[in-house]
Amino acid sequence: MDIQTQLLYPIDQILLALMIFVIMFGMGGSLTVDDFKAVARRPRGVLIGFLSQFGVMPLIALGLAVVLNLPPAFAIALILIGCLPGGTTSNMFAYFARGSVALSISMTTASTLLALLMMPILLELYTTGFTRQITEAMVAAGADSSAEFVIPTLNIISSLVLVLVPVAGGMVLRRYSPGWAKTAEDTAGFVAIIVILYLLGTAFIRHSNLFLETPWQVYFSAISVGLLGFLFGYWVSRLFGVQPLFQRAISLETGIQNGPVSFAIILLSFPEPSIQNQMLWLAILYSTFIVMTSSFITLYLRKRGKFDWEVHRNTVVHNRLFGEEYVTDYPQGFLPPRIAHDPSQGTSPSQKR
Amino acid sequence: MESRIIASNLADLYRQAAEKYESLPAFATRHKALDWNPVSFREIYEQGMDLAAGLIEIGVKAREHVGLFSDNRLEWMLADYAIQLSGSVNTPRGADVTDEELIYIINHAKIRVAFVENDALQKKILRLRPELPDLREIILLSSKSEALEGVRPLKEIAAIGTWQRKNGDKRVNDRMNAIRPDDLFTLIYTSGTTGKPKGVMLTHSNMMSQMEVIPIELTCTDRVLSILPIWHIFERVFEVYTICCGTCTYYTSIRTLGEDLKYVEPTFMGSAPRLWESLHQRILENVRSAHPVRRALFHIAYFLGHYYQESIFYLTNNDLQLKPESMIKRGVLRAAHALRLLVLLPWYGFFNAAVLESVRQSAGGSIKATVSGGGALPLEIDKFFNYIGIPVLEGYGLTETSPVIAVRTEDKLVNGTVGPPVADTEVRIVDLETEEVLYPNEKYPYDGRGMRGEIWVRGPQVMKGYYREPEITRKVLLEGGWFRTGDLGMMTFNDSLKILGRSKSTIVLSNGENLEPEPLEMQLRQSRYIEQCMVVGQDQKFVGALIVPKLDVFQEENIQAESLAELSENPKAKRIIRDEIKQMLSAGNGIKNFEQVRDFRLLSNNFKVGEELTNLFKLKRHVVEQKYEKNIRDMFHPKEVKV
């Protein structure tokens, strides 16, 4: 399919840019320098998270693109989404899923920085086949034979740097006024939902046939890239034997990507209207569905992790009040074998909030 | 994962808990915010056994009444362990016991051995000794002060017991085995709101029945914060219940509550309405002083929470159903609520996560639910906590019913009611004058649901009677095992009990109109200007109120007043209160015309616990009426005629 009409009017683009700014600013508002230091102190969890985010997730996206035989622009967008750093909302979801918020924050922090290096490499690696398809299509359409579609690596890096500026701004605000930073953080999530719904709504009004014309493969990939991310994130971390608290955080972190960053990259790096529109459309769909899927996954993980979590909190409180060396000795059979040998579930980071 | 212990009596329960939970912490006492001392189920049991052996050695007999005059502390529980294990009866009372009460209780219950909490109490009891002919032994709980002459420290008795047990003394075990279900485990003197104290006799089987029917799930991983007076049956049963479930109880105090909520992260709490009122105020103050953006976010979140929860209540059949509704109407409304729920869900989901969670954090983040008892919870506050996502399980009971008669559960959480009666318990609504059974009665539509009357109860929790008061016992404990509570209530159409006030506190105006003062007082107390109040007007032409204003709030609003006395004369303050009463008791709030408070007096003193208030902050109406007789007379018969 080809989206001929303009998907985003200038006003929408401004709105989107504003949203990206507000969200990244809010993300900065939730971070402190200590969070970066914490990454160094907790390398194992973050490393497994890294593997899951930059190793598994892009492969899931590539696999989906190949298996579903997506049109090249959608495929590139999907892989782009697969390579994104973790989103800030993952911290909130991790909190409600009874996962380790500290780890979630560490992973978001680490992946946002590492994205500068990893995204260009991964995109170069995984999108070659699809860029060739586009080039061939362009040539077939009678374009200049020297025309070639390439991933604008430099542009991507510069857009990433650009979105990191408000993050730094948010961190500065947090340093000087935690109250306002908290407000910024809360507002960011709200703004994101409003803008995404607005974009969906206007798309619905202006291009109502767009929803019908979009092939099912695109919907399917937009929904399942996140779901598969949750699934693999959970199992990868489980295979490495990390504690349930971390499994839940890594699972969510893997599936929830930083959508706004993808908007920024698409707008700034892929100016060709037809390609930009298709890519944006997939990014909008992903951002919409991920809110729903992660809500469901969070509810599921929350329920599943209830017992582990209560045991874990009890241990944390006992150690806080009765001394670090206090060992809570539950009656035989109370703890399931899975956590019986280590009720504290290892070196549990204390909750951030 | 819940597995509560089923025992035949309290001593047996203590023994089983030690065997089952061993080194798990049973109780924790606070030294500093982050320094607590745990005592395990095994430790407290062994210490209790030693102390029990000591008690037997100094002459405590089986089924004898032992006095325990103390507020919440670990040694209270230890003393209770010892009393139960030695087969005797715990007769408790708080440290704020007055001279008259102490004399009355000790002589009436024929107490020979008494525990006292601290230095002040041992001095008090020694001073009164000439009037206590039966009293032989006084034991001091606190190890912080020296025992005076004629008083033995707790350690001494325990040491005697340790020695006895080492030498093969098995009398404690014999005593435990000899406990019958019908034996008393406690004799509680209730000051009540009227008259002289009455000794409520509660048996082991009363207590054990409560352990089986309490519909609240607790496990070894729960943490309970204890703040209510332990010698009151509500807190007492709750603490025994935590022992039953292997849950650790953390002792806190009003002074340290804020800090303890944060560090202990309680998952459960028993509390009186007053606590919820102050927590509610605190949350609102926080919101008022927050950033405008955050304040707005809170209001949106609360708005969403309100309509979301109301729809949930309606769809789960947990709305307050005071009138019957036709199936068709319910069906239509159900569909409407389902639709509303669907529309609200995503928004509520977001605001619940981003805003309401942090509000819940300020009330101790891990709280799953709380039980409120010992007085009616104002509906507004009840709803507030449910809307922000802290389910309050309000319960209902009396000392005489040890205490739980009904309690809301998470599945049956009908705001404005005290939930369905607990298992094995029958409830009747009885006409006040004719004593005709209104509910359950097939004669009436819906079996009498929705009809008002006195609440009668029959079940395994009903007391044996008042000690040495057969006359009074006969008045309340009727043939067939029915106990008349003296409370007004009705059964809602979804089978939850709604309490409508004490039948005794009903005010009858001179024009014959009846009104319940409690709901009006509750409404008035919602005002941020009003600390305490009492509605009066028996046999008068109109309703009046005695009001204790909140001094600090008026000072914040730049009204010059150093004291309550000064404030009570301030015309500006009077005007504010007058407007406030008008607003709080508007017809829109369901206040009938004759219930309007037409006049009021500002009082120059706070109501004090032990004087105007019971330990659970219930008004002792007759005390207030006596003390402020002048104000009341002045209000209804002013010297100068108002123009």
Side-chain angles (χ1 to χ4, degrees):
Chain A
M1 73 174 270
D2 196 4
I3 304 172
Q4 287 302 345
T5 49
Q6 207 174 0
L7 186 63
L8 295 183
Y9 294 179
I11 172 107
D12 301 336
Q13 295 203 9
I14 293 169
L15 257 179
L16 207 55
L18 211 65
M19 173 189 97
I20 295 165
F21 180 81
V22 170
I23 288 182
M24 297 315 277
F25 191 78
M27 175 173 175
S30 70
L31 292 178
T32 60
V33 178
D34 285 341
D35 293 325
F36 289 91
K37 289 183 190 158
V39 176
R41 264 185 275 119
R42 241 193 323 271
R44 191 177 136 83
V46 176
L47 214 68
I48 293 167
F50 171 79
L51 200 75
S52 180
Q53 276 181 295
F54 288 121
V56 178
M57 193 63 177
L59 279 177
I60 294 173
L62 178 68
L64 275 172
V66 172
V67 170
L68 294 172
N69 200 12
L70 287 185
F74 283 121
I76 293 171
L78 192 66
I79 292 166
L80 173 68
I81 287 168
C83 301
L84 289 171
T88 31
T89 41
S90 65
N91 305 348
M92 196 172 80
F93 282 113
Y95 174 85
F96 282 95
R98 299 187 161 110
S100 164
V101 178
L103 178 65
S104 182
I105 291 174
S106 299
M107 284 169 66
T108 308
T109 313
S111 65
T112 306
L113 274 183
L114 284 171
L116 282 174
L117 178 71
M118 294 306 295
M119 278 190 72
I121 297 176
L122 289 170
L123 282 174
E124 194 65 48
L125 197 65
Y126 291 137
T127 56
T128 344
F130 300 103
T131 49
R132 202 179 308 124
Q133 282 182 32
I134 294 182
T135 310
E136 279 161 11
M138 280 159 71
V139 173
D144 196 335
S145 60
S146 67
E148 196 191 353
F149 182 81
V150 284
I151 296 289
T153 311
L154 269 177
N155 271 359
I156 289 176
I157 295 178
S158 51
S159 358
L160 273 169
V161 171
L162 203 62
V163 296
L164 284 178
V165 171
V167 175
M171 285 180 68
V172 171
L173 179 72
R174 166 75 178 250
R175 171 83 178 67
Y176 292 103
S177 168
W180 277 106
K182 186 85 186 67
T183 306
E185 196 190 335
D186 288 354
T187 320
F190 186 56
V191 167
I193 293 192
I194 296 273
V195 174
I196 297 279
L197 282 178
Y198 169 79
L199 291 179
L200 265 187
T202 51
F204 192 76
I205 292 162
R206 289 187 206 139
H207 324 279
S208 46
N209 53 348
L210 191 57
F211 288 85
L212 294 172
E213 281 169 17
T214 308
W216 66 268
Q217 286 94 335
V218 172
Y219 286 118
F220 186 81
S221 61
I223 297 173
S224 47
V225 70
L227 281 177
L228 288 174
F230 296 134
L231 193 73
F232 278 91
Y234 190 77
W235 282 102
V236 164
S237 54
R238 205 167 166 167
L239 278 181
F240 279 98
V242 300
Q243 52 240 23
L245 203 68
F246 283 10
Q247 290 169 14
R248 292 189 285 271
I250 292 175
S251 167
L252 284 167
E253 193 71 29
T254 307
I256 300 175
Q257 305 287 60
N258 198 333
V261 171
S262 72
F263 290 131
I265 291 175
I266 294 168
L267 284 178
L268 295 174
S269 313
F270 297 92
E272 164 65 35
S274 142
I275 291 173
Q276 191 190 65
N277 282 342
Q278 293 187 40
M279 291 182 76
L280 271 178
W281 184 229
L282 185 68
I284 292 176
L285 288 179
Y286 167 80
S287 303
T288 313
F289 287 124
I290 198 66
V291 177
M292 296 182 224
T293 49
S294 47
S295 298
F296 286 118
I297 294 292
T298 297
L299 285 179
Y300 172 73
L301 289 177
R302 184 179 174 79
K303 212 164 179 174
R304 201 185 146 87
K306 183 167 182 282
F307 185 75
D308 296 348
W309 175 254
E310 281 169 5
V311 174
H312 164 71
R313 279 329 284 167
N314 204 31
T315 308
V316 169
V317 172
H318 282 178
N319 285 337
R320 179 194 299 157
L321 301 179
F322 306 154
E324 281 305 319
E325 52 304 326
Y326 185 87
V327 177
T328 314
D329 195 4
Y330 291 100
Q332 193 109 55
F334 179 75
L335 297 180
R338 172 165 60 88
I339 50 172
H341 302 295
D342 183 14
S344 72
Q345 303 173 37
T347 49
S348 45
S350 61
Q351 289 292 294
K352 203 181 141 79
R353 299 164 200 228
Chain B
M1 278 295 164
E2 190 214 42
S3 57
R4 53 182 97 168
I5 293 171
I6 302 296
S8 55
N9 59 56
L10 204 43
D12 184 33
L13 174 74
Y14 290 163
R15 183 182 55 79
Q16 286 194 39
E19 272 166 19
K20 185 168 178 188
Y21 305 122
E22 285 286 346
S23 64
L24 269 182
F27 297 94
T29 48
R30 182 186 200 269
H31 299 298
K32 274 181 284 177
L34 288 173
D35 181 11
W36 291 61
N37 200 15
V39 176
S40 74
F41 286 94
R42 173 57 68 190
E43 280 164 349
I44 192 163
Y45 176 71
E46 291 302 331
Q47 290 171 17
M49 287 292 276
D50 286 353
L51 193 57
L55 287 181
I56 294 173
E57 184 61 23
I58 63 166
V60 171
K61 298 203 196 83
R63 298 173 194 92
E64 169 173 350
H65 304 154
V66 177
L68 178 46
F69 302 100
S70 164
D71 286 338
N72 300 21
R73 59 188 300 140
L74 182 66
E75 288 85 353
W76 194 103
M77 217 55 222
L78 186 58
D80 186 59
Y81 260 74
I83 294 170
Q84 302 305 337
L85 295 172
S86 67
S88 47
V89 181
N90 183 348
T91 309
R93 188 77 186 181
D96 58 352
V97 60
T98 64
D99 288 3
E100 294 77 37
E101 285 169 340
L102 200 59
I103 294 169
Y104 184 85
I105 292 171
I106 290 181
N107 289 337
H108 188 263
K110 298 181 182 144
I111 288 171
R112 298 188 309 141
V113 177
F115 291 92
V116 292
E117 178 171 15
N118 49 29
D119 199 41
L121 264 172
Q122 68 168 341
K123 282 178 181 148
K124 177 182 261 199
I125 206 166
L126 285 174
R127 178 164 51 79
L128 300 172
R129 188 118 203 206
E131 297 175 64
L132 307 168
D134 293 335
L135 192 65
R136 280 181 33 211
E137 296 279 358
I138 303 166
I139 304 166
L140 181 66
L141 291 181
S142 169
S143 52
K144 280 201 185 116
S145 39
E146 288 288 310
L148 299 170
E149 207 187 313
V151 178
R152 301 216 220 188
L154 187 74
K155 265 189 251 148
E156 188 187 317
I157 310 292
I160 295 173
T162 314
W163 193 82
Q164 286 287 336
R165 284 182 73 205
K166 235 181 225 148
N167 289 313
D169 185 349
K170 292 270 180 251
R171 280 181 292 175
V172 182
N173 302 66
D174 297 341
R175 288 278 182 90
M176 283 168 71
N177 293 332
I179 297 172
R180 295 178 306 235
D182 197 34
D183 284 343
L184 304 190
F185 82 94
T186 193
L187 180 61
I188 298 180
Y189 280 83
T190 57
S191 57
T193 40
T194 46
K196 65 177 181 192
K198 287 174 290 195
V200 178
M201 298 190 285
L202 296 178
T203 66
H204 285 280
S205 74
N206 284 150
M207 176 60 108
M208 292 307 124
S209 77
Q210 291 275 298
M211 295 302 108
E212 281 173 44
V213 301
I214 291 177
I216 292 164
E217 251 184 56
L218 289 180
T219 74
C220 303
T221 57
D222 282 300
R223 292 173 299 281
V224 172
L225 210 52
S226 157
I227 187 156
L228 295 180
I230 172 81
W231 49 274
H232 184 271
I233 189 67
F234 173 51
E235 176 70 19
R236 177 97 172 267
V237 162
F238 201 67
E239 279 191 29
V240 173
Y241 185 63
T242 61
I243 296 173
C244 199
C245 300
T247 308
C248 184
T249 298
Y250 296 76
Y251 287 113
T252 183
S253 60
I254 297 268
R255 198 170 41 82
T256 59
L257 182 64
E259 222 171 43
D260 296 344
L261 275 172
K262 192 164 132 207
Y263 293 129
V264 175
E265 297 181 23
T267 57
F268 218 94
M269 228 177 132
S271 54
R274 193 76 194 120
L275 188 89
W276 293 109
E277 286 176 20
S278 70
L279 205 56
H280 172 243
Q281 291 278 355
R282 204 158 72 198
I283 290 173
L284 288 189
E285 288 297 331
N286 280 346
V287 170
R288 255 182 229 125
S289 59
H291 280 274
V293 181
R294 293 188 62 74
R295 203 183 319 159
L297 285 176
F298 174 80
H299 286 298
I300 300 173
Y302 185 73
F303 173 86
L304 290 167
H306 177 167
Y307 289 102
Y308 174 81
Q309 297 287 5
E310 284 296 337
S311 286
I312 292 274
F313 284 143
Y314 198 88
L315 289 172
T316 53
N317 200 23
N318 278 337
D319 54 320
L320 183 57
Q321 295 172 16
L322 300 179
K323 291 196 182 87
E325 272 179 309
S326 72
M327 292 292 279
I328 300 166
K329 188 179 168 198
R330 257 198 108 69
V332 171
L333 280 176
R334 250 167 207 277
H337 275 288
L339 194 68
R340 184 167 89 178
L341 195 69
L342 221 62
V343 173
L344 290 181
L345 189 68
W347 306 99
Y348 172 75
F350 172 74
F351 277 92
N352 181 38
V355 184
L356 294 182
E357 178 67 13
S358 64
V359 178
R360 287 194 290 266
Q361 285 291 329
S362 65
S366 299
I367 281 194
K368 295 183 209 160
T370 71
V371 189
S372 179
L377 190 66
L379 188 58
E380 305 296 312
I381 290 177
D382 189 358
K383 285 184 167 172
F384 177 84
F385 282 102
N386 281 301
Y387 292 161
I388 66 168
I390 300 176
V392 181
L393 310 180
E394 198 182 355
Y396 165 67
L398 297 85
T399 309
E400 285 88 338
T401 57
S402 53
V404 185
I405 293 173
V407 64
R408 296 202 293 237
T409 62
E410 284 185 65
D411 297 331
K412 195 108 182 107
L413 215 158
V414 184
N415 280 172
T417 73
V418 294
V422 292
D424 306 333
T425 303
E426 295 168 82
V427 166
R428 267 180 185 174
I429 305 294
V430 177
D431 190 280
L432 275 176
E433 275 148 38
T434 62
E435 297 208 344
E436 183 197 4
V437 178
L438 303 175
Y439 169 89
N441 188 343
E442 289 169 13
K443 218 171 80 186
Y444 296 107
Y446 303 98
D447 284 353
R449 288 181 182 81
M451 295 180 79
R452 293 156 178 252
E454 189 181 0
I455 300 166
W456 288 16
V457 185
R458 181 164 70 179
Q461 69 272 64
V462 173
M463 65 164 180
K464 209 171 170 179
Y466 296 116
Y467 184 60
R468 288 172 61 199
E469 301 279 10
E471 281 301 307
I472 307 178
T473 303
R474 258 197 297 279
K475 270 187 204 154
V476 294
L477 214 50
L478 310 171
E479 276 189 31
W482 289 98
F483 171 74
R484 43 185 344 157
T485 62
D487 289 322
L488 295 179
M490 69 186 261
M491 199 53 101
T492 65
F493 289 82
N494 45 358
D495 289 330
S496 289
L497 190 62
K498 180 165 174 61
I499 309 299
L500 301 159
R502 283 295 289 177
S503 59
K504 286 163 206 156
S505 62
T506 307
I507 293 174
V508 183
L509 295 176
S510 56
N511 59 6
E513 294 277 19
N514 281 315
L515 66 105
E516 295 304 326
E518 274 106 340
L520 300 179
E521 285 157 7
M522 238 186 248
Q523 194 73 39
L524 288 174
R525 276 206 310 271
Q526 306 283 305
S527 160
R528 54 194 291 256
Y529 295 103
I530 296 175
E531 177 80 44
Q532 291 285 359
C533 65
M534 186 173 116
V535 169
V536 291
Q538 179 68 35
D539 301 323
Q540 305 295 343
K541 282 192 198 123
F542 59 85
V543 181
L546 299 173
I547 287 171
V548 181
K550 269 199 183 135
L551 186 59
D552 48 345
V553 175
F554 280 97
Q555 281 168 344
E556 268 168 37
E557 309 220 334
N558 291 325
I559 286 176
Q560 302 295 327
E562 287 296 311
S563 64
L564 280 172
E566 207 176 307
L567 187 66
S568 68
E569 298 299 324
N570 188 313
K572 218 167 161 188
K574 283 186 189 173
R575 203 165 56 234
I576 290 176
I577 293 281
R578 183 170 297 280
D579 291 344
E580 199 65 10
I581 289 176
K582 258 197 204 124
Q583 210 190 331
M584 292 316 240
L585 300 182
S586 63
N589 283 341
I591 307 294
K592 298 190 192 82
N593 197 30
F594 65 85
E595 290 178 327
Q596 298 286 352
V597 172
R598 304 254 182 258
D599 202 354
F600 65 94
R601 289 291 175 273
L602 296 181
L603 302 184
S604 44
N605 287 307
N606 256 316
F607 292 171
K608 281 184 213 70
V609 172
E611 271 184 61
E612 293 97 337
L613 300 173
T614 71
N615 286 283
L616 287 165
F617 303 102
K618 266 193 257 177
L619 274 174
K620 292 188 194 167
R621 293 181 183 278
H622 64 291
V623 174
V624 178
E625 269 163 18
Q626 257 168 19
K627 193 164 172 185
Y628 296 103
E629 202 193 348
K630 245 182 72 189
N631 302 57
I632 296 173
R633 202 153 12 111
D634 179 44
M635 182 156 54
F636 292 114
H637 308 282
K639 282 176 213 116
E640 304 149 312
V641 179
K642 272 188 204 151
V643 182

